[in-house]
Amino acid sequence: MHAHRSRTPETERSRRWFMNKALLAGGVAAVATMTGCSSDSSGSSSSSAASGAPNGMPSGGPSGGPGGGAGGMGPGASEVKYADFVGVTTDGKVADDLYAIHSTDVSTDAVVKAAQAFLDGLSAKERKSCTFDVDDDEWLAWSNVDGYARKGVRMGDITDKQRDLGYALLGKALSADGLTQTRNIMKLNAFLGDYNGGGRETLTEGAYFFTFMGTPSTTKPWGFQYEGHHVVINYFVLGDQVVMTPTFMGSEPTSATYNGEKITLFKPETKAGLTLLRSLTDAQRKKVISTETKAGDNLKAGAGQDNLKLAYQGLVGSELTAAQQQNLLDLVGVYVGYLDEGHAAVKLKEVEDHLDETYFYWIGETKDSSAFYYRVHSPVVLIEYDAQSPLAYGNKSSGGGMGGPNGTPTQQHIHTIIRTPNGGDYGVDLLKLHLQNDH
């Protein structure tokens, strides 16, 4: 049985994070994106359509760019069933007593009402198509690939009123920054479709899907998934507790003008990573920066990697100064900050409780414009940031970049993900505790 951790008031460090939130985002906050919880996942999908492509590969071949393929590429053979879910661990063994059912004193009433309103606005057929059991395999059947065959209600196929109710739900589940980030990823997905000639159903603002697991409730477990190309949000609710992992956020390109609006993504994630790295001494950097050469794709914990074994690498938080630990917490805060602010504070406190056990790891160069990879990894959080090689942007003459894992990475194609290791993703551990206690 998991021990129940008593919740202490927010520490000065956590409070300072919220005060500095706007500063973290830099000038980007005033434009189109702000700090947030980034996670690389997109859309729920039927496992029968999955085909085991590398993380982030588009569904089309080199000649067609993304969206050109027949079947959708996704987790494929690596996809885990709910009953077989273990979660991300360092060695296959789940660390016990990390999570507990408790009161957060942060209401979930608003997100419950918004979810009910969205579902009530659907037709009976639409509602049936997007509702599943709370422990359905559909939770784990997601991919960030554009052409993956997804289940659920597609935003582009419903009415404006229904779509507004969907955005209202996202607005209650996410922070203002999180909603802006999500919408801007969708817009740049449409930009990519236009850039590659249009005519692809997957490269539009409408190619994003809602699925619901369980029934929205203030007492019983439930959740929803919102996914499509370059954004996947898994949102589990139990009482007033929320788990918003895995969440995948990415984009190609990361900066462009769409319908007259200049959009730039992932500046806060890039800046916070560099800030932490540059605060380290030379001796500390030697422990953090790998000798490995940056590849076109370094992401480890993407789609289909729900039972990933990933050893700690880099420098541990106990070897950081107080100021450096603050920079580490600020970095985590960018990603956690895409969750609604009340529950973001709860999650940040959980991360802070394990800050001495949190590792920071880096691959690549360290200039402002460098394409690099970094990882933050502790018993309760895993964050990855990966500047990848172009797949569909940057070389119009050949229909796109199509660099793939062997191409030259660039900040114009970034993938990020946040997970809750040791069984926390999708709220699985909390659901197990709930069933043990109530049944």
Side-chain angles (χ1 to χ4, degrees), residues 85-124:
F85 174 84
V86 174
V88 174
T89 61
T90 58
D91 58 3
K93 299 176 183 177
V94 174
D96 292 326
D97 301 330
L98 290 172
Y99 313 113
I101 295 173
H102 63 88
S103 175
T104 65
D105 295 323
V106 181
S107 176
T108 54
D109 289 357
V111 74
V112 169
K113 289 178 182 177
Q116 289 173 333
F118 177 76
L119 287 168
D120 289 345
L122 300 177
S123 68

Coordinates of all heavy atoms in Angstrom, one line a residue, residues 85-124:
F85 N 0.7 -2.0 -18.3 CA 1.5 -0.8 -18.1 C 2.3 -0.8 -16.8 O 1.8 -1.3 -15.8 CB 0.5 0.4 -18.0 CG 1.1 1.7 -17.6 CD1 1.7 2.5 -18.6 CD2 1.1 2.1 -16.3 CE1 2.3 3.7 -18.2 CE2 1.7 3.3 -15.9 CZ 2.2 4.1 -16.9
V86 N 3.5 -0.4 -16.9 CA 4.4 -0.3 -15.7 C 4.8 1.1 -15.5 O 4.8 1.6 -14.4 CB 5.6 -1.2 -15.9 CG1 6.6 -1.0 -14.7 CG2 5.3 -2.7 -16.0
G87 N 5.1 1.8 -16.6 CA 5.5 3.2 -16.5 C 7.0 3.3 -16.7 O 7.7 2.2 -16.8
V88 N 7.5 4.5 -16.9 CA 8.9 4.7 -17.0 C 9.6 4.4 -15.7 O 9.3 4.9 -14.7 CB 9.2 6.1 -17.5 CG1 10.7 6.4 -17.5 CG2 8.6 6.4 -18.8
T89 N 10.7 3.5 -15.8 CA 11.5 3.2 -14.6 C 13.0 3.2 -15.0 O 13.3 3.3 -16.2 CB 11.2 1.8 -14.1 OG1 11.5 0.8 -15.1 CG2 9.7 1.7 -13.7
T90 N 13.8 3.2 -14.0 CA 15.2 3.2 -14.3 C 15.7 1.7 -14.7 O 16.7 1.6 -15.4 CB 16.1 3.7 -13.2 OG1 15.8 2.9 -12.0 CG2 15.8 5.2 -12.9
D91 N 15.0 0.7 -14.1 CA 15.5 -0.7 -14.3 C 14.3 -1.7 -14.4 O 14.6 -2.9 -14.3 CB 16.4 -1.0 -13.1 CG 15.6 -0.9 -11.8 OD1 14.4 -0.6 -11.7 OD2 16.3 -1.1 -10.7
G92 N 13.1 -1.2 -14.7 CA 12.0 -2.1 -14.8 C 11.2 -2.3 -13.4 O 10.2 -2.9 -13.4
K93 N 11.8 -1.8 -12.4 CA 11.1 -1.9 -11.0 C 10.6 -0.6 -10.6 O 11.3 0.4 -10.6 CB 12.2 -2.4 -10.0 CG 12.8 -3.8 -10.3 CD 13.8 -4.1 -9.3 CE 14.5 -5.5 -9.7 NZ 15.6 -5.8 -8.7
V94 N 9.3 -0.6 -10.2 CA 8.6 0.6 -9.9 C 9.0 1.0 -8.4 O 8.9 0.2 -7.5 CB 7.1 0.5 -10.0 CG1 6.4 1.7 -9.5 CG2 6.7 0.2 -11.4
A95 N 9.4 2.2 -8.2 CA 9.6 2.7 -6.9 C 8.3 2.9 -6.2 O 7.4 3.6 -6.7 CB 10.4 4.1 -6.9
D96 N 8.2 2.4 -5.0 CA 6.9 2.5 -4.2 C 6.7 3.8 -3.5 O 7.7 4.5 -3.2 CB 6.8 1.3 -3.3 CG 6.7 0.0 -4.0 OD1 6.1 -0.1 -5.1 OD2 7.2 -1.0 -3.5
D97 N 5.5 4.0 -3.0 CA 5.1 5.1 -2.1 C 5.5 6.5 -2.6 O 5.8 7.4 -1.8 CB 5.9 4.8 -0.8 CG 5.5 3.5 -0.1 OD1 4.3 3.1 -0.4 OD2 6.3 2.9 0.6
L98 N 5.4 6.7 -3.9 CA 5.6 8.0 -4.5 C 4.3 8.8 -4.6 O 4.4 10.0 -4.5 CB 6.3 7.9 -5.9 CG 7.7 7.3 -5.9 CD1 8.1 7.1 -7.3 CD2 8.6 8.4 -5.2
Y99 N 3.2 8.1 -4.8 CA 2.0 8.8 -5.0 C 0.9 8.4 -4.0 O 1.0 7.2 -3.5 CB 1.5 8.6 -6.5 CG 2.6 8.8 -7.5 CD1 3.1 7.7 -8.2 CD2 3.2 10.0 -7.7 CE1 4.1 7.9 -9.1 CE2 4.2 10.2 -8.6 CZ 4.7 9.1 -9.3 OH 5.7 9.3 -10.2
A100 N 0.0 9.2 -3.7 CA -1.1 8.9 -2.8 C -2.4 9.6 -3.2 O -2.3 10.7 -3.8 CB -0.7 9.3 -1.4
I101 N -3.5 9.1 -2.8 CA -4.8 9.8 -2.9 C -4.9 10.7 -1.8 O -4.8 10.4 -0.6 CB -5.9 8.8 -2.9 CG1 -5.9 7.9 -4.1 CG2 -7.3 9.5 -2.9 CD1 -6.9 6.7 -4.1
H102 N -5.0 12.0 -2.1 CA -5.1 13.0 -1.1 C -5.8 14.2 -1.6 O -6.1 14.3 -2.8 CB -3.7 13.4 -0.6 CG -2.9 14.1 -1.7 ND1 -2.9 15.4 -2.0 CD2 -2.0 13.5 -2.6 CE1 -2.1 15.6 -3.0 NE2 -1.5 14.5 -3.4
S103 N -6.2 15.2 -0.8 CA -6.8 16.4 -1.2 C -5.8 17.4 -1.6 O -4.8 17.7 -0.8 CB -7.8 16.9 -0.1 OG -8.3 18.2 -0.5
T104 N -5.9 18.0 -2.7 CA -5.0 19.1 -3.1 C -5.6 20.5 -2.8 O -4.9 21.4 -2.9 CB -4.8 19.0 -4.7 OG1 -6.1 19.3 -5.3 CG2 -4.3 17.6 -5.1
D105 N -6.9 20.5 -2.4 CA -7.5 21.8 -2.2 C -7.6 22.7 -3.4 O -7.7 23.9 -3.4 CB -6.9 22.6 -1.0 CG -7.0 21.9 0.3 OD1 -8.1 21.2 0.5 OD2 -6.1 21.9 1.1
V106 N -7.5 22.0 -4.6 CA -7.6 22.7 -5.9 C -8.8 22.1 -6.6 O -8.7 21.0 -7.1 CB -6.3 22.6 -6.8 CG1 -6.5 23.4 -8.1 CG2 -5.1 23.1 -6.0
S107 N -9.9 22.9 -6.8 CA -11.1 22.3 -7.3 C -10.9 21.9 -8.8 O -10.2 22.5 -9.6 CB -12.2 23.4 -7.2 OG -13.4 22.9 -7.8
T108 N -11.6 20.8 -9.1 CA -11.7 20.3 -10.5 C -13.1 20.6 -11.0 O -13.4 20.1 -12.1 CB -11.3 18.9 -10.6 OG1 -12.2 18.1 -9.7 CG2 -9.9 18.6 -10.3
D109 N -13.9 21.3 -10.3 CA -15.3 21.5 -10.7 C -15.4 22.1 -12.1 O -16.3 21.7 -12.9 CB -16.1 22.4 -9.7 CG -16.3 21.7 -8.4 OD1 -16.0 20.5 -8.3 OD2 -16.9 22.4 -7.5
A110 N -14.6 23.1 -12.4 CA -14.7 23.8 -13.7 C -14.4 22.9 -14.9 O -15.0 22.9 -15.9 CB -13.7 25.0 -13.7
V111 N -13.3 22.0 -14.7 CA -13.0 21.1 -15.8 C -14.0 20.0 -16.0 O -14.3 19.6 -17.1 CB -11.5 20.6 -15.7 CG1 -11.5 19.5 -14.6 CG2 -11.0 20.0 -17.0
V112 N -14.6 19.6 -14.9 CA -15.7 18.6 -15.0 C -16.9 19.2 -15.7 O -17.4 18.5 -16.6 CB -16.1 18.1 -13.6 CG1 -17.4 17.3 -13.6 CG2 -15.0 17.3 -12.9
K113 N -17.3 20.4 -15.4 CA -18.4 21.0 -16.0 C -18.2 21.3 -17.5 O -19.0 21.1 -18.3 CB -18.8 22.3 -15.3 CG -19.4 22.2 -13.9 CD -19.6 23.5 -13.3 CE -20.2 23.3 -11.9 NZ -20.4 24.6 -11.2
A114 N -16.9 21.7 -17.8 CA -16.6 21.9 -19.2 C -16.6 20.7 -20.0 O -17.0 20.6 -21.2 CB -15.2 22.6 -19.3
A115 N -16.1 19.6 -19.4 CA -16.1 18.3 -20.1 C -17.6 17.8 -20.3 O -17.9 17.3 -21.4 CB -15.4 17.2 -19.3
Q116 N -18.4 18.0 -19.3 CA -19.8 17.6 -19.4 C -20.5 18.4 -20.5 O -21.3 17.9 -21.3 CB -20.5 17.8 -18.1 CG -20.1 16.7 -17.0 CD -20.7 17.0 -15.7 OE1 -21.0 18.2 -15.3 NE2 -20.9 16.0 -14.9
A117 N -20.2 19.7 -20.6 CA -20.8 20.6 -21.6 C -20.4 20.2 -23.0 O -21.2 20.1 -23.9 CB -20.4 22.0 -21.3
F118 N -19.1 19.8 -23.2 CA -18.7 19.4 -24.5 C -19.4 18.1 -24.9 O -19.9 18.0 -26.0 CB -17.2 19.2 -24.5 CG -16.6 18.7 -25.8 CD1 -16.5 19.5 -26.9 CD2 -16.3 17.3 -25.9 CE1 -16.0 19.0 -28.1 CE2 -15.8 16.8 -27.1 CZ -15.7 17.7 -28.2
L119 N -19.4 17.1 -24.0 CA -20.1 15.8 -24.3 C -21.6 16.0 -24.5 O -22.1 15.4 -25.4 CB -19.8 14.8 -23.2 CG -18.4 14.3 -23.1 CD1 -18.2 13.5 -21.8 CD2 -18.1 13.4 -24.3
D120 N -22.2 16.9 -23.8 CA -23.7 17.1 -23.9 C -24.0 17.8 -25.3 O -25.1 17.7 -25.8 CB -24.2 18.0 -22.8 CG -24.3 17.2 -21.5 OD1 -24.2 16.0 -21.5 OD2 -24.4 17.9 -20.4
G121 N -23.0 18.5 -25.8 CA -23.2 19.2 -27.1 C -23.0 18.3 -28.3 O -23.2 18.7 -29.4
L122 N -22.6 17.0 -28.1 CA -22.4 16.1 -29.2 C -23.6 15.3 -29.5 O -24.5 15.2 -28.6 CB -21.2 15.1 -28.8 CG -19.8 15.7 -28.5 CD1 -18.9 14.6 -28.1 CD2 -19.3 16.4 -29.8
S123 N -23.7 14.8 -30.7 CA -24.8 13.9 -31.0 C -24.5 12.6 -30.3 O -23.4 12.3 -29.8 CB -24.9 13.7 -32.5 OG -23.8 12.9 -33.0
A124 N -25.6 11.7 -30.2 CA -25.4 10.4 -29.6 C -24.3 9.6 -30.3 O -23.5 8.9 -29.7 CB -26.7 9.6 -29.6

